[in-house]
Amino acid sequence: MTNNVKILFSEHDIKYRINEMAKEITKYYSNITEKLVLIGLLKGSFIFMADLCRRINIPHEVDFMTVSSYGNGIISSGDVKIIKDLDEDIRNKHIIIVEDLVDSGNTLKKVYEILELRGPNSITICTLLDKNSKRMVDISITWIGYSINDEFVVGYGIDYAQQYRHLPYIGYIINMHS
Ligand code: IMP
Ligand code: MG
């Protein structure tokens, strides 16, 4: 099932890039006195989150949220429903939203607005992949692993119909039916 994926970023590439991002994040938050929380959006971010948090060398908490987009499923509409909320309060904490892939940006913008209302000290966004040619809303992303073209990718947590998440690399499906 996995020999129909053409590798775009190898396991080695991803590890190296995440190391770089984690160093920047560590430096950015090195002088804070309030708590730092990484908030992963499920399910896509679970592997990225696991690798990223283990490279960040300052104390922090992790929490997860699952949201679903209303709409036809192809283009996210920007109306998001919280399926699983955070376990902890984020008031006065510094939070980093950790996302696998930002496409239109609709989902992330909505999540940002929801979390902002809860009074965190600061919010930044960290995404592994960015398809910025598809952006429909204005959002500022502080850390981007890779900018990619508008092609459908899978692996490293990212799915096609719930499959392919386990691949240690990121790639394109070259034949959907094989
Ligand atoms: P948007 O930014 O609200 O349009 O939605 C981004 C979400 O759409 C991502 O977090 C993925 O769940 C999904 N998505 C967008 N592009 C891809 C892709 O190439 N492969 C798999 N999922 C994708
Ligand atoms: Mg996602």
Side-chain angles (χ1 to χ4, degrees):
M1 183 198 105
T2 52
N3 59 358
N4 60 340
V5 176
K6 183 175 182 300
I7 298 179
L8 176 62
F9 302 113
S10 69
E11 188 173 2
H12 181 265
D13 290 340
I14 297 169
K15 188 174 178 187
Y16 184 86
R17 185 69 190 112
I18 289 178
N19 243 324
E20 291 182 330
M21 296 172 86
K23 272 191 200 149
E24 287 177 25
I25 292 171
T26 302
K27 196 170 156 201
Y28 186 93
Y29 290 103
S30 59
N31 293 320
I32 57 170
T33 47
E34 304 83 3
K35 283 181 171 163
L36 175 64
V37 194
L38 269 59
I39 295 177
L41 301 186
L42 294 174
K43 301 173 193 167
S45 71
F46 81 112
I47 294 179
F48 178 38
M49 176 72 129
D51 284 346
L52 182 71
C53 77
R54 284 180 290 175
R55 297 283 165 217
I56 295 176
N57 276 323
I58 43 174
H60 61 273
E61 301 172 8
V62 298
D63 207 341
F64 293 93
M65 194 170 183
T66 309
V67 298
S68 82
S69 279
Y70 291 112
N72 61 15
I74 297 166
I75 300 169
S76 67
S77 64
D79 287 329
V80 308
K81 183 167 76 167
I82 298 176
I83 307 292
K84 180 226 170 288
D85 207 341
L86 301 175
D87 292 335
E88 306 292 332
D89 195 359
I90 56 169
R91 182 162 297 278
N92 298 328
K93 297 175 183 173
H94 295 277
I95 68 175
I96 308 176
I97 304 174
V98 178
E99 179 59 308
D100 54 344
L101 199 166
V102 184
D103 192 12
S104 71
N106 282 329
T107 312
L108 200 50
K109 189 173 172 71
K110 206 70 197 171
V111 168
Y112 190 103
E113 287 168 2
I114 292 168
L115 297 181
E116 201 175 24
L117 291 174
R118 300 183 186 177
N121 193 305
S122 70
I123 309 179
T124 56
I125 297 170
C126 176
T127 187
L128 184 59
L129 303 177
D130 178 28
K131 289 186 188 175
N132 56 21
S133 62
K134 294 276 292 296
R135 194 78 82 251
M136 293 168 66
V137 293
D138 187 26
I139 41 165
S140 150
I141 306 177
T142 309
W143 296 284
I144 295 170
Y146 302 100
S147 292
I148 60 167
N149 294 328
D150 179 26
E151 281 187 82
F152 199 84
V153 294
V154 294
Y156 198 75
I158 300 166
D159 74 308
Y160 169 63
Q162 300 303 327
Q163 295 291 318
Y164 301 97
R165 292 193 199 274
H166 66 289
L167 300 181
Y169 47 83
I170 292 170
Y172 301 118
I173 301 175
I174 49 181
N175 183 347
M176 289 276 187
H177 306 292
S178 65

